[in-house]
Amino acid sequence: MRILKALIFFIFIGASVSAQLNTEKTMTIGRIALQYKDYVLSIQYFNQIIKAKPYLAEPWYFRSVAKFYLEDFMGAMEDCDSTLSRNPFYVDAYSLRGACLLNLDRPEEARMDFEQGLKYTPENVNMIMNRGLSYLFERKYDEAIADLSKTYKLDDTRKGAVRARGQAYVQKGDSLKGLEDYSLAIKMDPYDDRSYLIRGNLYMQMKKYSLAESDFNASLTLAPDDPLTYENRGIARYFNKLYDAALQDMDRALELDPNRSNVYFNRGLIRTEIGALNEAAEDFTMVLNFDAENYFAIYNRGLVYLELGQYFDALDDFERVLTQYPEFTKAYYARSNVKEKLGDKDGAMRDLQLAFVIEERNGVRKKGDKKLPPGASYASADRKTQRSQNDKNIRNFKSIVVLDEGREREKSEFENEIRGRIQDRNINIDLERLFTLSKVKDSKFAEGQTDYFTRLLDSYNRSNRIERLYIQNDNLALSQQEIDGYFKEIDRLSEEIGLLSEDKNLYFKRAMLYDQVKDFNASLQDLNRSIELDKNFILAYFYRATVRFKMVEFVLSLQNDSELEQGSGLLLADKKTAKQTMEGERRILDYDLIMHDLSVVVSNNPEFAFSYYNRGFVRCVLKDYHAAVNDFTLAISIEPDLAEAYFNRGLTYIYLGDELKGSRDLSKAGELGLYNAYNILKRFGLRN
């Protein structure tokens, strides 16, 4: 996201140099926390700047980004308002406020924000695409198609724009063009589960159930835990009369999400179809636990009760329906049947006569025609006639669910654009992250389970009177309580360092805390001091390499950020200022320094597997893939159960074209507990 630092630089004239540096440092740390999804922590940093210098637009904007990802859309909108009141040319604030408005179902207002942003950056691809989404939600399909087509013309990698255009065509009534766009999106990225799901839904609308099932199969191969896809595949199988398979899919959908009331409804219809009436009644009752006024469920449960011989229960259900819908003649026919079963022949006849009168009035029945419609007597109706009614119900119910879900998924396309821009990585394959040191045990190890053991770390833990350190590669967002605790501990250690300034362990411990709160500069300074005090402090070299990598990663994200923006006259000034901001740190923004630190660890402690792993990771970033494979192999030779090393080596092999070795490594990683490795195996169609 572009930072309008030209304006900020102008505001800083007349301020002291130290104040400027402190503000910029706090801003940088806040943005780092934002990049690493520590939204609560980032808000704290931006709060500090807002309190000290409320006239600056930038901290208001970035705080709004953090609030957006915390789904505080109203709060994010208010911060965007504050941003724009301070700088009405801050284009990204219009874009983000539009995103908030879309999430709040206010598409017309959202479009106005996108149009305002386009006045300043007329070729901004993100803004054009999102205006197209606004038009789509406003049901202005021609305008939506025009914007989404322009998006694809400007950037032919935007599969989200192609999918949204397909939805616009479908909602406009042109299913064939919609199908073309959904198929194009799949061609653009055959590993995106959502494209298959959306095309499968369209095939369902076109009554091409076998093709729909095939697409749902592909979607589940890529995203095996999506309850919506199981539900939709179950419906496709239902229409193909594969009832047992359909029920299995409904069961699986409810295992994954037991709160999907429409799945209970649809499963109830299928169970009615196959004669599992008691189970069907239970399903319709479950629907009513979620929504007591779902009259589809009440009516269908009444039909089931009627066939089960539970006549009084059936009578109650039909009367509830008729109280709400007194023109619903099918319920009169069903209630007539119930009354007949209970011996109330006069009441049964009155219900038939009422149904006849309503149908004559509505032109459904000729006057004087006393013939019962097919299925009016539930007990004598054949199963085929009954199923036709169920088919109608299940199709109508699903069309609503699919439409709503499609809208939500298209909304998420916008959010993904922002998230992708703020968190881009300079990595072409999605590797497992670097290992680092932590006071927290790796989350992959259950309570009581042995964590990674290394002689180097064990020796350090034994020789120093500090809490135990662990090896882990999780990068979790901090809670408010943890943030407060870390800052208090930093203050306490700072006081202790004032008294014992030659204790390398105090600097090392404080460096870890600074790293946790994303103050990488301070962390690096403390690590440098630790190493000055002890040139053989191997763990400090290891930790310093990870901190240096995070700093490089963040600066690269700033550069990628600017490259993605289109058409702003302030763009060059922004790049120049970002460079100036980091100029004093240029000596540390070098992969050679990271590799040097890791090589020191390897030379002094060749049995420390995680230094080889981290060096392999950095080499992947540098596109030195063969050397990376060698490092991952060395790590595995020392730590045979290091799942992350198998995973990364497997992905690297795939990137190098050796799918067999890649498949074996990913299989081993999955065996050792990295279950997302199995998903990668399915995505790439690899087999052992």
Side-chain angles (χ1 to χ4, degrees):
M1 270 161 247
R2 178 170 40 77
I3 312 172
L4 301 181
K5 291 200 172 181
L7 174 65
I8 294 173
F9 180 74
F10 175 78
I11 293 173
F12 279 149
I13 293 176
S16 69
V17 174
S18 60
Q20 178 179 349
L21 291 175
N22 288 338
T23 299
E24 290 195 357
K25 176 185 175 182
T26 305
M27 178 65 69
T28 298
I29 299 170
R31 291 198 64 186
I32 291 170
L34 192 61
Q35 176 186 351
Y36 283 94
K37 303 181 183 180
D38 279 317
Y39 303 125
V40 175
L41 176 62
S42 70
I43 287 173
Q44 284 209 355
Y45 283 116
F46 300 135
N47 285 346
Q48 292 177 34
I49 304 173
I50 289 170
K51 185 176 181 181
K53 298 184 177 181
Y55 49 84
L56 296 180
E58 190 177 30
W60 292 94
Y61 170 71
F62 282 107
R63 193 175 72 173
S64 72
V65 174
K67 290 180 178 180
F68 179 86
Y69 287 129
L70 292 170
E71 299 188 19
D72 178 10
F73 301 124
M74 291 302 299
M77 278 182 58
E78 290 172 358
D79 278 355
C80 285
D81 291 342
S82 297
T83 304
L84 292 167
S85 70
R86 288 156 177 80
N87 181 2
F89 304 104
Y90 207 128
V91 175
D92 287 327
Y94 292 109
S95 181
L96 183 58
R97 190 169 66 182
C100 295
L101 288 163
L102 281 181
N103 277 278
L104 294 170
D105 287 321
R106 294 158 64 179
E108 185 175 354
E109 295 171 72
R111 175 169 53 81
M112 292 171 65
D113 268 340
F114 299 139
E115 288 175 346
Q116 185 65 30
L118 285 168
K119 290 180 180 179
Y120 305 121
T121 57
E123 295 298 307
N124 188 312
V125 180
N126 292 327
M127 208 84 76
I128 295 168
M129 175 176 170
N130 296 318
R131 186 177 65 179
L133 292 177
S134 299
Y135 278 130
L136 177 60
F137 299 152
E138 291 183 77
R139 295 180 173 81
K140 296 180 178 180
Y141 302 123
D142 291 333
E143 293 89 340
I145 290 167
D147 268 352
L148 296 167
S149 296
K150 184 175 181 180
T151 302
Y152 180 61
K153 182 178 179 180
L154 291 170
D155 182 356
D156 62 5
T157 67
R158 297 289 182 118
K159 65 177 182 291
V162 173
R163 276 204 305 254
R165 187 177 66 180
Q167 183 178 344
Y169 278 126
V170 171
Q171 291 180 212
K172 186 182 176 183
D174 194 340
S175 296
L176 293 179
K177 283 191 176 180
L179 186 61
E180 288 178 6
D181 272 347
Y182 294 157
S183 299
L184 175 58
I186 290 171
K187 184 177 180 181
M188 292 167 68
D189 184 1
Y191 304 118
D192 189 331
D193 63 288
R194 289 177 296 175
S195 295
Y196 292 101
L197 174 63
I198 293 169
R199 190 175 70 174
N201 291 339
L202 179 56
Y203 278 136
M204 289 272 285
Q205 295 176 34
M206 299 170 73
K207 301 183 181 180
K208 296 181 178 181
Y209 303 120
S210 295
L211 290 174
E213 182 178 352
S214 178
D215 271 352
F216 296 143
N217 289 340
S219 183
L220 286 170
T221 298
L222 298 166
D225 294 326
D226 186 356
L228 175 66
T229 311
Y230 280 105
E231 177 186 355
N232 286 2
R233 187 175 71 174
I235 295 169
R237 287 174 165 177
Y238 168 83
F239 285 120
N240 279 330
K241 302 181 181 180
L242 302 171
Y243 301 127
D244 288 340
L247 284 174
Q248 289 174 10
D249 277 346
M250 297 296 178
D251 292 343
R252 179 59 179 152
L254 290 171
E255 286 177 14
L256 293 167
D257 183 0
N259 296 315
R260 299 184 74 86
S261 64
N262 47 290
V263 182
Y264 289 105
F265 181 88
N266 292 333
R267 189 174 68 176
L269 292 176
I270 297 171
R271 283 174 163 174
T272 302
E273 176 68 26
I274 64 174
L277 299 177
N278 286 303
E279 293 84 353
E282 291 173 0
D283 276 341
F284 294 132
T285 299
M286 282 297 299
V287 175
L288 296 172
N289 288 337
F290 291 102
D291 178 8
E293 296 183 356
N294 187 319
Y295 291 96
F296 272 120
I298 297 169
Y299 174 70
N300 280 283
R301 188 178 66 173
L303 296 178
V304 171
Y305 281 150
L306 177 55
E307 187 160 346
L308 285 170
Q310 297 177 219
Y311 301 127
F312 289 106
D313 292 329
L315 188 63
D316 288 342
D317 278 348
F318 295 139
E319 286 179 348
R320 285 181 64 187
V321 173
L322 288 169
T323 298
Q324 183 69 22
Y325 297 104
E327 298 282 304
F328 186 34
T329 57
K330 293 184 186 305
Y332 284 110
Y333 289 127
R335 190 174 68 175
S336 171
N337 201 359
V338 172
K339 289 179 177 179
E340 185 176 2
K341 298 293 185 183
L342 292 171
D344 182 6
K345 296 186 180 299
D346 291 339
M349 182 58 66
R350 283 195 298 271
D351 276 347
L352 287 178
Q353 290 172 342
L354 275 171
F356 292 164
V357 169
I358 293 169
E359 289 180 347
E360 287 175 2
R361 185 170 66 239
N362 294 333
V364 177
R365 173 185 297 275
K366 292 181 180 180
K367 193 168 184 178
D369 181 6
K370 302 299 181 183
K371 184 179 179 181
L372 287 174
S377 177
Y378 186 87
S380 63
D382 61 31
R383 184 66 67 184
K384 180 177 180 181
T385 302
Q386 180 57 31
R387 191 178 76 241
S388 67
Q389 177 62 35
N390 289 340
D391 286 352
K392 180 179 179 182
N393 288 344
I394 198 170
R395 185 182 300 112
N396 287 343
F397 195 83
K398 274 313 302 170
S399 68
I400 297 169
V401 174
V402 171
L403 179 60
D404 288 346
E405 186 68 25
R407 183 182 172 103
E408 290 304 314
R409 286 184 177 273
E410 291 304 334
K411 279 184 186 177
S412 71
E413 291 296 332
F414 180 89
E415 181 178 340
N416 290 339
E417 290 298 328
I418 297 176
R419 185 180 297 273
R421 290 173 56 212
I422 202 169
Q423 294 167 208
D424 278 345
R425 301 286 190 268
N426 191 33
I427 302 169
N428 292 324
I429 47 182
D430 194 12
L431 300 168
E432 283 292 306
R433 300 286 297 167
L434 287 170
F435 277 93
T436 188
L437 301 175
S438 174
K439 296 190 297 180
V440 180
K441 190 175 183 178
D442 195 319
S443 61
K444 75 168 66 63
F445 296 109
E447 190 66 32
Q449 186 179 0
T450 304
D451 59 301
Y452 291 121
F453 174 84
T454 70
R455 287 188 177 88
L456 177 63
L457 189 57
D458 184 61
S459 174
Y460 183 80
N461 284 333
R462 289 174 181 273
S463 63
N464 293 278
R465 291 179 298 172
I466 63 173
E467 61 263 55
R468 178 180 175 84
L469 298 183
Y470 299 93
I471 289 281
Q472 61 103 352
N473 77 335
D474 283 341
N475 185 34
L476 302 177
L478 301 177
S479 68
Q480 185 64 59
Q481 184 177 3
E482 288 170 327
I483 293 168
D484 294 340
Y486 285 141
F487 280 122
K488 288 179 182 178
E489 184 68 4
I490 288 171
D491 291 340
R492 188 189 68 77
L493 281 172
S494 297
E495 292 179 3
E496 197 170 345
I497 286 171
L499 299 173
L500 301 169
S501 60
E502 301 300 307
D503 189 337
K504 67 175 184 181
N505 292 317
L506 292 178
Y507 287 103
F508 184 64
K509 185 176 180 181
R510 191 173 66 175
M512 295 181 64
L513 293 168
Y514 276 131
D515 176 37
Q516 289 296 315
V517 297
K518 305 299 183 289
D519 191 344
F520 297 148
N521 276 323
S523 178
L524 186 62
Q525 290 171 9
D526 276 352
L527 290 168
N528 290 340
R529 182 60 178 151
S530 293
I531 292 171
E532 286 175 8
L533 293 168
D534 182 357
K535 300 295 184 184
N536 297 315
F537 195 176
I538 303 305
L539 286 177
Y541 285 101
F542 177 75
Y543 201 92
R544 188 169 70 175
T546 65
V547 173
R548 280 176 164 165
F549 182 84
K550 291 175 183 178
M551 296 183 77
V552 171
E553 192 177 40
F554 173 67
V555 172
L556 287 174
S557 77
L558 288 181
Q559 294 173 356
N560 292 342
D561 225 10
S562 296
E563 289 167 4
L564 284 169
E565 286 297 334
Q566 303 283 332
S568 171
L570 295 173
L571 183 57
L572 293 178
D574 180 28
K575 286 185 177 179
K576 181 178 178 181
T577 309
K579 181 179 179 181
Q580 291 172 340
T581 302
M582 299 296 178
E583 195 62 45
E585 303 159 0
R586 183 59 57 194
R587 60 188 178 85
I588 62 172
L589 301 180
D590 190 334
Y591 286 112
D592 288 342
L593 292 176
I594 300 169
M595 296 296 287
H596 171 265
D597 278 348
L598 292 172
S599 295
V600 169
V601 181
V602 167
S603 298
N604 286 273
N605 199 304
E607 298 302 311
F608 191 54
F610 301 97
S611 57
Y612 295 106
Y613 171 91
N614 282 6
R615 193 170 68 179
F617 180 95
V618 175
R619 281 175 164 162
C620 276
V621 174
L622 296 173
K623 305 186 189 306
D624 189 0
Y625 299 117
H626 291 286
V629 166
N630 291 336
D631 273 340
F632 292 136
T633 301
L634 285 168
I636 290 167
S637 69
I638 300 167
E639 188 72 49
D641 292 336
L642 188 56
E644 290 82 358
Y646 285 104
F647 185 90
N648 286 358
R649 189 175 70 173
L651 284 181
T652 309
Y653 274 136
I654 290 172
Y655 190 83
L656 291 171
D658 193 337
E659 294 188 348
L660 180 59
K661 287 183 179 178
S663 175
R664 287 173 176 166
D665 272 354
L666 289 170
S667 177
K668 183 65 175 178
E671 175 188 317
L672 292 170
L674 281 180
Y675 300 118
N676 57 325
Y678 294 121
N679 187 37
I680 300 295
L681 280 170
K682 291 179 181 178
R683 287 175 62 184
F684 286 93
L686 303 176
R687 297 292 181 269
N688 294 329

